[in-house]
Amino acid sequence: MVLYTSDECRRTRVADMIYDRLSTSLANNSWVPKALEDNTQLVIQGRLCTPGSSDHLAVIELGTIDSGDLVSLLLTEQHNASATTTPRLSSHETWENEQDAEPALIPTPPESSSGQNTQATAQSTSKRRKVVGGLRPVYSVPKLPTGSASATIKSVGTSLAPTHAMIPRQLRSDARKLPQRAVAKRTSKMLCPATTLISSIWKTIYGPIPVGPLATLSEYDNPGLSTPDIDHIDRQQFSRINAICLKASTLSKSARALEIVVQAYWMDCYNARIRVISDENPRWTPTEARMACLGEACGALGWTQKELRNRMMIWRGYKDVRDAGGWASLVFSGSGIYRTCKYRIGFADGLMQRLARLRPAIEVAADTVHPAWRQLLAPIGQDTQPKYTGHPHDWVVNADRAVLPLSSTYWQWDPEFAFEHVKECIIDDCWPSGDPRRVYTGDIYICSECGYEQSDDPLKSKCLCFPSLFAATGPVSAPVQVERCPLGKNNGLFARCAFERGTAVGEFVGLVTKGIEGLDVMMSGSGDHQYQIYQRRVGNYTRFINHSCAPNAQFTKFIWRGIERIIVVSKGIESGMEITVDYSPSYWNNLDKVCLCGEACCRYNRPGRHLG
């Protein structure tokens, strides 16, 4: 048997073809090999060659078929096919619908086949399967006798055909009820188009690139370093290139923000000019007034009306964002504002309502993190003085869109409340021998977690356990804000950007002291080195983290350069969520206070639990 490649029949397996040939021959009684009459085995071999060539490669043994089992299987299938109304699809009908598949190896018909069989095969080849709506091809597994041909074909090497190669395919109506299973409910909120722009605003505000007034690159002009040797560039030259790259990124971001600001303000002037034209020409319709104003703009800008109208569609989106979220939301919107306004993404999904609700928080973060950003409003005559000054966490955002000073939220308990924001812990005078948190000293510090060297120099430090806190070159302020909480919890700390699981929210910073009783303090240390971290008057934003019986963060001890630190590590915090930790039973035991976390698993919501 010689095998050829053919473009007419693709993806046809050798075992399928052999089985169909034997089935047709037995059904027509036209060709029954001598091997089927005796109780012997049929050995199938093949040779590979190219059409028109007599050179054959080595013989390939494809497998063996037990003749006795094959005859009984064919007779059983022929009897079942004559008793059913659903015909079995022939291999030729299948080949006609698989012209786009891969070319396959096809056996040539045996020379002993009669002319009648050849004519019948040619007629079946020319037929095409009709497409029937609502039907689908399925595999039905017939009850095969013991020792069937599918069980007696022993393939050499890999299998010649899949298991269903000898199972007749049938057309059957699809009686399944869809859907078969309910759609799984997502436990976390997906990032919808409305939140994409808001997330971009927060990332830009708390990003490493500052946004401020435009400057030039003249301060970096140095003829001695203008053309460094690329093959022998030193550290000083590379540092200068890094500085220029950062400056260029800052200029690009500031220039793009200024462009958006001017275009949004242009829409205000355009609408005002239309009103003036309408007042000067009372008999003109609103359309005539708009066309006159449009003609004036096109003459000044040098654009066609079509070009200006296309731009105005985007500029109108800028104006809508400005009206809802203020100038800060427009300046810090990032590059995604163009696509959002062009296709009006999220405009119908509550984007403007969310921007209006977050407007005070955005303005507080923008004024305190980027104090010079309002200088970009100078070309359009807007106020350039920041509305909120001081530290980013000196202001508390209220639910009614009001912004309160931090001290005013504690006056009912402490009229003289004052809080100092620090980045490092302050050692109290009660420790004359030094920092009680120090575990060891040395010239080289190795991280106990990852085993790499720790250094305050970002270029030398190899430890990347908490890169946002130690040896960091990232943002100057953590993406968190202080907000008023419901349920009587006063203030709380809320995330403005997502904190992935395992990342640091911040270090628990305050006054390192001892001997304080009856007040909220952090207890740490071991043995004779017990110490307390007190945050009543000094500390950082971790002071405002509330307790929850189902927290999304936790306290973790970490040693940095021989000093023990308390790190608040995220368990998976999404943007907009309140950051909470578990204060532990040692805090709540013997404490006459009720937990206000509101969780279903709350353990401390009953007064007088362990008092006595």
Side-chain angles (χ1 to χ4, degrees), residues 544-555:
F544 309 104
I545 299 180
N546 288 323
H547 164 84
S548 175
C549 295
N552 53 21
Q554 66 181 27
F555 292 118

Side-chain angles (χ1 to χ4, degrees), residues 47 131 142 398:
R47 295 181 180 180
V131 179
N398 206 353

Side-chain angles (χ1 to χ4, degrees), residues 161-469:
T163 307
H164 60 264
M166 294 186 179
I167 301 176
R169 290 177 291 181
Q170 299 178 357
L171 294 179
R172 179 178 303 175
S173 63
D174 196 347
R176 296 179 299 177
K177 295 181 180 180
L178 299 178
Q180 292 184 340
R181 64 178 64 179
V183 179
K185 296 181 179 180
R186 299 185 181 273
T187 56
S188 60
K189 296 185 297 182
M190 299 299 292
L191 196 63
C192 61
T195 61
T196 302
L197 178 62
I198 297 176
S199 298
S200 178
I201 293 174
W202 291 122
K203 290 180 180 179
T204 305
I205 292 177
Y206 292 103
I209 299 179
V211 177
L214 297 177
T216 62
L217 295 175
S218 59
E219 56 185 297
Y220 296 99
D221 293 340
N222 190 331
L225 299 176
S226 58
T227 56
D229 187 2
I230 300 299
D231 297 332
H232 302 86
I233 186 170
D234 56 18
R235 184 172 181 176
Q236 181 182 5
Q237 293 172 333
F238 187 65
S239 299
R240 173 182 172 272
I241 294 299
N242 292 334
I244 294 177
C245 182
L246 178 60
K247 191 66 176 180
S249 300
T250 304
L251 293 176
S252 176
K253 186 179 291 292
S254 300
R256 177 56 181 159
L258 177 60
E259 180 185 11
I260 295 175
V261 166
V262 172
Q263 291 168 352
Y265 184 73
W266 186 92
M267 290 302 304
D268 293 336
C269 299
Y270 172 77
N271 295 331
R273 178 57 182 164
I274 291 177
R275 291 192 295 269
V276 172
I277 294 176
S278 298
D279 295 339
E280 294 176 352
N281 302 274
R283 296 185 178 181
W284 283 15
T285 63
T287 302
E288 291 175 337
R290 285 196 301 269
M291 293 302 297
C293 184
L294 197 64
E296 294 179 3
C298 291
L301 297 174
W303 297 336
T304 64
Q305 288 192 7
K306 182 179 180 180
E307 292 175 341
L308 183 56
R309 287 179 182 273
N310 291 337
R311 287 175 168 85
M312 287 174 58
M313 180 182 65
I314 303 173
W315 297 356
R316 190 173 291 108
Y318 296 162
K319 179 180 178 299
D320 294 340
V321 173
R322 189 277 318 270
D323 292 341
W327 287 111
S329 62
L330 194 63
V331 170
F332 294 93
S333 57
S335 59
I337 184 67
Y338 176 84
R339 183 175 181 273
T340 300
C341 294
K342 181 177 181 180
Y343 300 105
R344 316 293 289 185
I345 299 176
F347 277 51
D349 299 332
L351 174 60
M352 298 307 156
Q353 291 79 0
R354 296 193 61 188
L355 282 175
R357 187 170 63 254
L358 291 173
R359 180 171 180 170
I362 294 175
E363 290 181 348
V364 168
D367 284 346
T368 55
V369 178
H370 303 271
W373 78 271
R374 290 185 183 267
Q375 297 295 326
L376 297 174
L377 306 179
I380 59 175
Q382 300 294 317
D383 187 12
T384 59
Q385 297 299 321
K387 188 176 180 180
Y388 305 99
T389 59
H391 196 272
H393 305 135
D394 276 338
W395 301 93
V396 180
V397 180
N398 206 353
D400 57 358
R401 302 182 184 179
V403 179
L404 304 175
L406 177 64
S407 57
S408 65
T409 60
Y410 293 94
W411 284 346
Q412 57 180 326
W413 299 285
D414 188 358
E416 298 180 357
F417 176 84
F419 188 77
E420 180 184 358
H421 300 274
V422 295
K423 295 183 179 180
E424 296 287 342
C425 284
I426 299 177
I427 309 302
D428 196 3
D429 296 336
C430 63
W431 301 102
S433 59
D435 192 345
R437 301 174 301 161
R438 178 164 295 280
V439 178
Y440 62 91
T441 58
D443 297 333
I444 299 178
Y445 297 94
I446 304 299
C447 178
S448 59
E449 301 293 334
C450 63
Y452 288 98
E453 181 181 356
Q454 297 176 343
S455 176
D456 291 331
D457 187 357
L459 300 179
K460 296 181 180 180
S461 180
K462 304 300 181 181
C463 175
L464 298 177
C465 291
F466 297 109
S468 61
L469 296 182

